[in-house]
């Protein structure tokens, strides 16, 4: 063997063992704040890598979508079948400010509504709110047996279904296009639109379990911090201390002399 050829024999493997670093050591926790429409605004925490070079932490947080049960947002277990999607819009200090980004039903709730011997009626419509959000609303409803009905089934005729669907679309359009996103979300929570559809269609065929089962946001307007702060109200109230009156300079000197006199 030629002298000095195999220099690596004694050195061991190339690129020796790398030191394992805990990935969580480079990450920070941020609080997620929900809009003030919901009764619980602090919904949890999220994790992001610290700012390093050109990778800014707040940029990594923006546009994340969180899915939260409405039961947690309203402290009401009866609302557990609704899932609300919230999108991170801005980061202020350690707080991530979110805005409404859609709504859905849990699968088990939808499955529990669908039964035999009744007609299922669905409708969907694209609407634009007053603050230029483009939404797609999906509505679902079921026919109901009339009081003192003997017949086992309650199927609606196809002409009645068409009429009901037309009514659904009309009410969804009226309700959504006449208000902004914040007001619309406050209508979704107590199911105002579903109840109105039920009332309006009772003359065609009595309905039950009428819900806005899904809301998609198709298009959002350009980000406006002022609007976002409106949606959140004054979220930072709890973090502020109590305001104290600062004494004037002359008063401070007098107080100092009094303390010195007392010490003597």
């Amino acid at each position: 063997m030629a002298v000095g050829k195999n220099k690596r024999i004694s050195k061991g493997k190339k690129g020796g063992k790398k030191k394992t670093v805990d990935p969580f050591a480079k990450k920070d926790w941020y609080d997620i704040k929900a809009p003030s429409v919901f009764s619980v605004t602090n919904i949890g925490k999220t994790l992001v890598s610290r700012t390093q070079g050109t990778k800014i932490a707040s940029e990594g947080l923006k546009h994340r979508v969180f899915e939260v049960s409405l039961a947690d947002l309203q402290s009401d277990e009866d609302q557990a079948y609704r899932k609300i999607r919230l999108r991170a819009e801005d980061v202020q200090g350690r707080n991530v400010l979110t805005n409404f980004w859609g709504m859905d039903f849990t699968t088990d709730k939808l499955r529990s509504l669908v039964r035999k011997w009744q007609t299922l009626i669905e409708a969907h419509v694209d609407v634009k709110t007053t603050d230029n959000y483009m939404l797609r609303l999906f509505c679902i409803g079921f026919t109901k047996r009339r009081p003192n009905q003997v017949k086992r089934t309650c199927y609606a005729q196809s002409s009645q279904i068409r009429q009901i669907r037309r009514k659904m679309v009309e009410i969804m359009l009226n309700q959504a296009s006449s208000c902004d996103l914040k007001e619309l979300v406050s209508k979704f929570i107590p199911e105002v639109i579903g109840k109105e559809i039920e009332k309006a269609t009772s003359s065609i065929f009595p309905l039950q379990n009428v819900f806005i089962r899904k809301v998609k946001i198709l298009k959002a307007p350009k980000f406006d911090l002022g609007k976002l702060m409106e949606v959140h109200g004054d979220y930072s109230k709890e973090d502020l201390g109590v305001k104290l009156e600062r004494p004037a300079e002359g008063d401070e000197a007098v107080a100092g002399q009094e303390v010195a006199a007392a010490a003597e």
Side-chain angles (χ1 to χ4, degrees):
M1 186 177 81
V3 179
K5 279 284 181 191
N6 267 355
K7 289 178 182 173
R8 293 209 54 83
I9 287 172
S10 60
K11 289 189 180 176
K13 280 187 180 174
K14 195 172 185 179
K17 269 192 177 178
K18 272 192 176 176
K19 203 177 179 185
T20 51
V21 183
D22 180 21
F24 285 88
K26 293 179 182 170
K27 294 183 188 291
D28 283 330
W29 291 96
Y30 284 77
D31 292 320
I32 308 163
K33 298 281 181 187
S36 57
V37 181
F38 306 107
S39 56
V40 178
T41 51
N42 208 348
I43 53 171
K45 291 182 178 290
T46 188
L47 203 60
V48 71
S49 298
R50 269 190 215 110
T51 303
Q52 199 172 29
T54 54
K55 282 187 90 176
I56 301 163
S58 61
E59 292 306 313
L61 281 170
K62 278 177 192 170
H63 306 311
R64 280 189 188 183
V65 177
F66 307 102
E67 199 169 76
V68 193
S69 166
L70 190 59
D72 295 335
L73 288 168
Q74 293 295 93
S75 304
D76 176 14
E77 277 306 313
D78 298 338
Q79 303 266 30
Y81 57 86
R82 267 211 183 87
K83 295 181 291 184
I84 302 288
R85 286 161 69 83
L86 299 169
R87 187 168 85 143
E89 296 285 352
D90 193 33
V91 180
Q92 295 193 351
R94 287 279 165 165
N95 293 325
V96 181
L97 305 188
T98 61
N99 204 354
F100 179 79
W101 195 250
M103 186 181 78
D104 205 354
F105 260 35
T106 54
T107 315
D108 62 294
K109 174 68 176 175
L110 274 176
R111 301 284 185 276
S112 71
L113 294 173
V114 180
R115 298 197 190 101
K116 290 203 289 187
W117 321 123
Q118 60 181 16
T119 307
L120 182 153
I121 302 162
E122 283 190 295
H124 65 272
V125 67
D126 292 0
V127 288
K128 198 175 198 176
T129 59
T130 52
D131 52 355
N132 291 326
Y133 276 90
M134 198 69 181
L135 306 173
R136 184 169 289 156
L137 308 182
F138 296 83
C139 182
I140 194 167
F142 302 87
T143 54
K144 181 171 76 174
R145 285 173 67 177
R146 289 187 172 88
N148 66 37
Q149 181 179 319
V150 179
K151 197 170 150 189
R152 188 181 180 185
T153 61
C154 53
Y155 298 129
Q157 295 173 347
S158 54
S159 61
Q160 289 172 322
I161 292 170
R162 277 198 300 275
Q163 276 178 288
I164 290 170
R165 199 173 285 128
R166 205 175 299 131
K167 206 78 171 160
M168 281 177 169
V169 169
E170 188 186 307
I171 290 169
M172 283 193 288
L173 270 171
N174 289 346
Q175 288 280 2
S177 56
S178 60
C179 62
D180 61 9
L181 188 69
K182 189 180 176 182
E183 284 173 53
L184 192 57
V185 173
S186 60
K187 284 181 184 178
F188 291 146
I189 297 167
E191 198 51 72
V192 171
I193 301 172
K195 288 188 181 106
E196 195 169 315
I197 290 169
E198 216 168 296
K199 208 187 292 174
T201 54
S202 60
S203 56
I204 306 164
F205 204 105
L207 293 185
Q208 62 180 349
N209 298 330
V210 183
F211 296 105
I212 300 295
R213 69 169 180 85
K214 192 174 187 178
V215 179
K216 278 185 184 176
I217 291 194
L218 305 177
K219 206 175 177 186
K222 216 172 172 185
F223 175 66
D224 180 358
L225 184 60
K227 280 263 168 68
L228 184 68
M229 295 318 288
E230 255 175 61
V231 167
H232 277 268
D234 195 1
Y235 78 94
S236 57
K237 266 182 191 169
E238 64 221 353
D239 305 330
L240 295 177
V242 181
K243 193 177 179 184
L244 294 171
E245 288 297 321
R246 191 176 177 190
E249 282 178 26
D251 298 348
E252 275 180 21
V254 171
Q257 284 167 11
E258 282 173 10
V259 170
E264 285 168 11

